[in-house]
Amino acid sequence: MSAFKVWARWRPLNPVESQGGEVQREFDQHQKNRKSRISVTSPLGTKALSAREQSWKSGFSFEGIFQPHDKNRMLYDRIVAPIMPEVLLGKCCNFFAYGHSGSGKTHTMIGYNFELDDEFGLCLAAARQLTAALDGINAQDNAYRFGIGLRMYELRKNSAFDLLNNHNECFIREGSDRRVYIRGETETLENGKVRVRPIATRACWSFEELQRELQEGLKHRAVATSTVHDQSSRTHAVIEMEIITNDLLNARDEVIERQSELVPVGKHATDVYIEENSRAVIQSEDGKYIPNPNYQVNQQRVDAAEKKKAEFELRVKMAEEHESEVFAVASRAHQCIGGKLVFVDLAGAEYLSGATEAGLKQSAREKQQGRQINTDLLALKEVIRARSLARSYIPYRSSPLTLVLREHFEASNDAHSSMILTVSPRADQYAATINTLKYGDLVGLTDGKKG
């Protein structure tokens, strides 16, 4: 299982913020593994902190530390670009942005300037490099046309909201096959067919097309008041970019269609079984259920319904096998198919015990959201730690966030995953900054030693 890399990024302060002072910080590197250590000291003597926390030093936990003047391009070149060859070999790589509200997570992951290349967020810069690589593959072999399947959704409590499908609410459940499914509302079609659509996938065949879809999806992202500002992201945004072909997407749609046909047939078989067995018993005077002497189960009717159900189950199985075959055929020609980049812009952690910036007031609902966010982030830390330490039990079910991400974690066992901590050097945000660094320190110290 590959190690989880942790990076730290200090955001720049504007002139007004700088007047309030900055967190004092120092850095040094381990002589052997070249990992970095961070030392921070509060210039204000914050009363809410213990004397020991006025100054704090991490272990050698960080792959690298980015300074306030470093552009998004530098982060991309060091964190994401080196692993792109793994994605083109069909592997899954995950990237997380973690930090308190207002520390620059969304700027790092998504970016706010979609015109300047140096300020592209990590996901957009990755899309540009990935589409260029796929264009090269497509030019060499016209038997396949590889593109990027884009999925965007945000997670809040037990629901997911599809950012590419009008922010439709979807539901998270774990199937009997241990896979986690995110499904939208049930559609009733002709002839009693029932279809439940998964998160929408937009097939993008150029960088410009993906950029448009990404920007459109971001318009639906939810914001609310946090302890720092009134436009804080209050959900965990997940952006998936998978290498696909039209044939693969069509095969997946075929599976959904066959499943929709199975639902009414399966329900009918269940109804017949219940009806026949209910009529075969009666309740005696003393309240016990006994065989009904006047009715015998019509086993022929039950068997006919089960036979039809088995036929439709076979159709589903055949569609699933066809999907697997389409994937396998393309994979034999080009290993890139199925390669995936997952970017998670985590909701802002809140550490300030209800204290907010001047002029801001959180509603009871927003405070509850803050508590749920912190619960999710704690669960994520425990999952990452358990995986890095190769523990036998990984607590994926601790929160909906980690349950949804389980597929991506397990798909990246032999690939790279990274977390970027975004931290503010503002003196009055020292408490939030030190807690963010402590979180990353625990995630990055896979051997449990401070170094």
Side-chain angles (χ1 to χ4, degrees), residues 77-98:
D77 288 343
R78 289 194 61 189
I79 300 173
V80 183
I83 60 85
M84 292 300 282
E86 296 184 19
V87 179
L88 292 170
L89 290 175
K91 296 181 180 181
C92 176
C93 298
N94 307 311
F95 301 91
F96 300 84
Y98 174 91

Side-chain angles (χ1 to χ4, degrees), residues 208-408:
E208 292 74 20
E209 189 176 0
L210 188 144
Q211 186 177 20
R212 286 194 300 271
E213 293 285 0
L214 180 71
Q215 289 179 255
E216 188 62 31
L218 291 174
K219 294 178 182 178
H220 298 290
R221 191 159 185 207
V223 296
T225 301
S226 69
T227 56
V228 176
H229 58 82
D230 62 357
Q231 289 293 305
S232 178
S233 300
R234 309 305 289 154
T235 58
H236 312 292
V238 181
I239 300 173
E240 302 176 16
M241 294 188 290
E242 180 189 12
I243 300 175
I244 50 86
T245 64
N246 254 332
D247 287 345
L248 179 60
L249 294 183
N250 290 337
R252 289 175 177 174
D253 284 341
E254 185 71 13
V255 171
I256 295 172
E257 188 66 22
R258 298 290 82 79
Q259 289 172 337
S260 70
E261 294 170 348
L262 170 62
V263 171
V265 176
K267 182 179 183 302
H268 176 70
T270 301
D271 290 345
V272 167
Y273 177 84
I274 293 174
E275 179 185 340
E276 288 294 330
N277 283 276
S278 296
R279 295 174 66 183
V281 296
I282 57 174
Q283 193 170 17
S284 64
E285 293 181 357
D286 59 2
K288 295 181 179 179
Y289 286 94
I290 60 175
N292 183 355
N294 299 318
Y295 188 81
Q296 185 175 1
V297 171
N298 186 344
Q299 192 61 45
Q300 185 176 2
R301 181 179 177 228
V302 173
D303 291 345
E306 288 295 330
K307 181 180 179 181
K308 189 172 183 180
K309 175 185 172 183
E311 291 174 359
F312 279 78
E313 287 176 334
L314 179 60
R315 293 183 186 183
V316 172
K317 182 180 179 182
M318 291 175 64
E320 291 172 340
E321 290 175 348
H322 175 64
E323 177 193 345
S324 297
E325 180 62 19
V326 168
F327 186 94
V329 169
S331 182
R332 286 194 289 269
H334 298 281
Q335 288 180 285
C336 66
I337 193 165
K340 186 182 293 185
L341 288 161
V342 181
F343 296 92
V344 185
D345 181 13
L346 295 164
E350 296 189 7
Y351 300 105
L352 303 183
S353 303
T356 59
E357 293 282 315
L360 298 179
K361 184 177 181 180
Q362 286 185 292
S363 66
R365 180 183 179 185
E366 288 167 340
K367 290 179 180 178
Q368 194 280 330
Q369 288 176 350
R371 290 190 291 270
Q372 179 63 47
I373 288 167
N374 286 346
T375 297
D376 290 341
L377 297 176
L378 175 61
L380 178 62
K381 179 189 72 176
E382 294 304 317
V383 164
I384 294 171
R385 287 279 291 166
R387 285 177 53 81
S388 297
L389 295 170
R391 291 175 179 161
S392 58
Y393 172 70
I394 312 294
Y396 290 115
R397 294 188 179 91
S398 296
S399 87
L401 171 67
T402 49
L403 188 62
V404 168
L405 293 176
R406 180 174 66 191
E407 172 190 351
H408 303 310

Side-chain angles (χ1 to χ4, degrees), residues 30-162:
H30 195 283
Q31 292 182 351
K32 293 183 178 179
N33 63 23
R34 308 306 296 169
K35 284 194 173 185
S36 297
R37 178 169 60 184
I38 300 176
S39 302
V40 292
T41 303
S42 170
L44 301 179
T46 309
K47 295 180 180 179
L49 299 174
S50 65
R52 188 173 64 177
E53 289 180 315
Q54 298 292 339
S55 181
W56 178 83
K57 180 185 290 186
S58 74
F60 289 100
S61 311
F62 302 96
E63 292 294 320
I65 301 168
F66 297 94
Q67 301 305 322
H69 60 268
D70 292 331
K71 302 292 186 182
N72 277 352
R73 179 60 179 268
M74 179 179 286
L75 272 73
Y76 179 78
D77 288 343
R78 289 194 61 189
I79 300 173
V80 183
I83 60 85
M84 292 300 282
E86 296 184 19
V87 179
L88 292 170
L89 290 175
K91 296 181 180 181
C92 176
C93 298
N94 307 311
F95 301 91
F96 300 84
Y98 174 91
H100 61 82
S101 297
S103 61
K105 298 182 306 300
T106 301
H107 170 68
T108 298
M109 275 295 183
I110 298 170
Y112 293 124
N113 190 325
F114 297 106
E115 303 299 328
L116 293 177
D117 289 3
D118 283 353
E119 289 303 331
F120 278 177
L122 298 185
C123 66
L124 203 55
R128 180 178 55 187
Q129 183 177 350
L130 190 57
T131 51
L134 295 178
D135 286 345
I137 294 173
N138 292 334
Q140 294 174 8
D141 184 356
N142 58 14
Y144 298 90
R145 187 188 181 196
F146 293 100
I148 297 176
L150 176 67
R151 287 181 287 275
M152 296 176 62
Y153 53 94
E154 55 182 8
L155 300 170
R156 182 168 63 239
K157 297 181 70 173
N158 294 315
S159 296
F161 297 86
D162 193 342

